[in-house]
Amino acid sequence: MTRLSISLTRTAGRYAIAAVIGILYGCGGDSTTEQAVAPTPAPTPVAPVPTPVTPTPTLVVKGSVSKTQTAAAPSIVSRMLAWVLPRSAHAQTSLAGSPTSMKMKFHALLISPNANCSGPYTEVQRYATPREFDLATNPTLFEGSPPAGTYRCIIFETDDSLGVMPDAAAQAAFPGKCAVGTLYTNDLYRAPDTDFKTQAGTTIVARGSRISPVVDRIYLFASRDPAAANARTGGPSENQTLMLKTDLIVPGSTTLYFDATGGILGGTDSGAPYCVAERVEIGVR
């Protein structure tokens, strides 16, 4: 760095000082003179991102463990039907207690305008993998927006495995067989039955037993005319067909129930203990 030594004389006066300041500024020295500052450009306006609007489904299907509509249930026109599972031919027929939890896996919901449950079918919703619901919590099983109209057949595609947790009354009635807080797997469609069919008319061969359950995919048909559905070539068995009391109107809602109130049975089969929901009323309301 070069040092600049300045000697001022009295006669140089202020002119010499001004000249030195000019030299310093020209060589990069400091100056108190203000510099012009370019204005900051205004930010570019950003368009707001619209919030996506999810359309409200026009059909909602709930689940329940009660065939009776409670005060907490949505106010809808009652659509009642009931089916007692044909599995009661056993030596021990004394039933006691009710489930505190009832779990089931669902695959899809289909509806048809035809009372004989023939196509065309409208698929309201399908899960990539079966989804488990606890019917005791009144869950939403399916929702979607099928075309508005009148439908006379509802088809539930589901697993035949029903998980049941008994209450204290069942435990007291069947000590060592049913325990509070334990979930027991029930096989609803068991060997050697072969009468159930898919919506396409394919026969479903049942597997499993009460003490060795095996999961099969089954279809439950709720029809305005069960006899017509059963008589149709490739139609469902009467053992998988429910009576739909009124048409399903879309937009609308409905509830599928599995009511096993007072229907728990505990016992032994081939020396193995079991605890099952032996009497189950299935319906739509």
Side-chain angles (χ1 to χ4, degrees):
M1 180 177 181
T2 303
R3 291 180 177 273
L4 179 62
S5 178
I6 303 173
S7 177
L8 300 179
T9 61
R10 193 177 249 188
T11 57
R14 56 189 177 183
Y15 302 107
I17 294 174
V20 170
I21 292 175
I23 293 171
L24 287 173
Y25 184 72
C27 295
D30 191 16
S31 173
T32 58
T33 306
E34 294 186 359
Q35 302 296 307
V37 179
T40 302
T44 303
V46 178
V49 178
T51 302
V53 178
T54 303
T56 302
T58 59
L59 176 62
V60 176
V61 178
K62 308 285 285 186
S64 176
V65 294
S66 175
K67 63 183 178 181
T68 304
Q69 183 173 319
T70 64
S75 177
I76 58 176
V77 177
S78 179
R79 300 180 175 93
M80 298 296 295
L81 57 90
W83 176 47
V84 179
L85 289 175
R87 301 285 184 259
S88 58
H90 307 295
Q92 185 177 5
T93 58
S94 177
L95 308 178
S98 305
T100 57
S101 175
M102 187 175 286
K103 296 184 177 182
M104 197 166 189
K105 290 184 178 180
F106 291 85
H107 292 263
L109 175 70
L110 299 90
I111 54 179
S112 168
N114 304 316
N116 67 354
C117 291
S118 61
Y121 303 106
T122 298
E123 189 173 276
V124 177
Q125 187 175 16
R126 176 174 294 278
Y127 299 116
T129 56
R131 185 169 299 183
E132 184 177 71
F133 296 94
D134 186 350
L135 300 177
T137 64
N138 299 313
T140 295
L141 303 179
F142 299 101
E143 57 184 6
S145 297
T150 300
Y151 297 88
R152 297 180 174 85
C153 179
I154 307 173
I155 304 173
F156 297 92
E157 185 178 334
T158 179
D159 284 348
D160 71 337
S161 178
L162 182 66
V164 175
M165 190 176 292
D167 62 6
Q171 178 176 273
F174 310 110
K177 312 295 190 304
C178 299
V180 171
T182 300
L183 190 69
Y184 298 89
T185 300
N186 293 205
D187 194 330
L188 299 180
Y189 182 55
R190 304 191 290 263
D193 292 342
T194 59
D195 57 320
F196 278 22
K197 291 183 173 61
T198 69
Q199 93 282 359
T202 303
T203 297
I204 303 172
V205 178
R207 301 172 297 168
S209 64
R210 184 192 289 112
I211 60 173
S212 299
V214 176
V215 176
D216 292 310
R217 186 181 302 194
I218 62 173
Y219 296 74
L220 301 178
F221 295 76
S223 169
R224 292 284 284 121
D225 189 349
N230 302 151
R232 176 174 59 84
T233 300
S237 162
E238 62 181 353
N239 290 326
Q240 66 182 131
T241 309
L242 321 174
M243 170 61 77
L244 186 63
K245 292 295 186 182
T246 63
D247 295 340
L248 173 66
I249 307 299
V250 176
S253 60
T254 192
T255 298
L256 171 69
Y257 65 81
F258 281 66
D259 193 330
T261 303
I264 301 298
L265 174 66
T268 58
D269 191 339
S270 301
Y274 63 82
C275 182
V276 299
E278 188 66 10
R279 187 184 66 219
V280 184
E281 289 185 67
I282 303 177
V284 176
R285 60 170 169 80

